[in-house]
Amino acid sequence: MASTTRADQADQRRAELLEATRRVVLERGLANTRIADIAKSINVSGGLIHYHFATKDELITAMLRATLDIESARLKELADGPGTAVERLDRVLRYYIPESRSDQSWLLWIDAWNTALREPAVNAIMLELETAWLDALAQVLSAGTDAGEFACADPAGAAERIDAMLDGLIIRYTLHPNVLDRARLLAHARTAAAGEAGIAVERFG
């Protein structure tokens, strides 16, 4: 029983360290975050962090992995959820698009894209994230076509095109919100998705 309790405590401590890491990374950026910064933010020693995570890279990777797991699970819920294919597709699009230019998830992933150019472990996580989004879009487009709601001959290709367009627009929205606001971004997303699905954009309501 004692060993189980110690294991639970260790898991809780690791979760606290991952959350602290996420907060510090959002404030300082991946490249500028140090173990000392994370330790100071929650008033623990660097040695304690190294007890759970051997290196900063291991800690950063674990934090990104935990974030990926949460977002992938939520994405699957939206794609598998109730409603028509149009409703499910719209939910996925709305989840993809950040609520504001300060959306923490998107700021983290934009930063991680840069790091992924040099860090294979981060690159692998970014590929998993991208695959999760592509799979969700393709799944909804395919299911809608099978149900007769959509007319999409190539759900996988359509998902890639929607995904690529949204990535570009979201970066623009994040950097230049006065040029592109969220309402216009969502309108672009729906127009593109409607074209790929073979439906009128008005179907999104």
Side-chain angles (χ1 to χ4, degrees):
M1 188 71 176
S3 61
T4 301
T5 301
R6 286 197 295 272
D8 289 343
Q9 290 174 343
D11 288 343
Q12 182 179 351
R13 175 59 77 181
R14 284 174 63 90
E16 291 170 354
L17 293 175
L18 293 178
E19 179 56 32
T21 301
R22 178 183 167 91
R23 290 196 303 269
V24 174
V25 164
L26 286 167
E27 179 183 341
R28 301 178 63 90
L30 284 167
N32 295 321
T33 293
R34 303 173 304 162
I35 290 291
D37 300 321
I38 299 167
K40 182 178 180 181
S41 73
I42 51 174
N43 196 30
V44 300
S45 69
L48 176 65
I49 295 178
H50 283 299
Y51 175 80
H52 292 278
F53 300 96
T55 65
K56 172 190 164 181
D57 288 346
E58 181 182 324
L59 174 58
I60 294 295
T61 301
M63 180 271 291
L64 292 174
R65 166 72 56 192
T67 304
L68 168 64
D69 289 345
I70 292 170
E71 295 189 10
S72 294
R74 178 57 179 155
L75 184 57
K76 189 174 188 310
E77 287 179 5
L78 296 174
D80 292 342
T84 65
V86 174
E87 290 169 341
R88 296 198 304 276
L89 180 56
D90 202 39
R91 286 199 298 264
V92 170
L93 294 177
R94 285 178 171 276
Y95 185 55
Y96 202 117
I97 296 171
E99 288 293 335
S100 71
R101 67 183 299 266
S102 60
D103 182 277
Q104 293 190 342
S105 176
W106 260 98
L107 292 177
L108 179 63
W109 293 127
I110 289 174
D111 194 6
W113 269 333
N114 181 55
T115 303
L117 293 171
R118 301 167 187 82
E119 298 292 341
V122 176
N123 191 298
I125 290 173
M126 297 308 294
L127 179 59
E128 286 188 49
L129 176 68
E130 191 77 2
T131 299
W133 280 109
L134 290 172
D135 287 350
L137 285 167
Q139 173 189 330
V140 175
L141 289 167
S142 180
T145 299
D146 290 344
E149 289 187 53
F150 298 157
C152 182
D154 180 17
E160 288 180 334
R161 290 185 289 273
I162 295 171
D163 177 78
M165 183 207 69
L166 284 176
D167 283 349
L169 286 176
I170 289 169
I171 290 172
R172 186 182 186 201
Y173 165 64
T174 301
L175 295 176
H176 307 293
N178 293 331
V179 176
L180 178 66
D181 62 23
R182 189 179 189 276
R184 184 167 175 78
L185 202 168
L186 179 59
H188 285 324
R190 285 173 164 173
T191 298
E196 295 288 357
I199 61 173
V201 69
E202 289 77 16
R203 290 276 302 279
F204 285 106

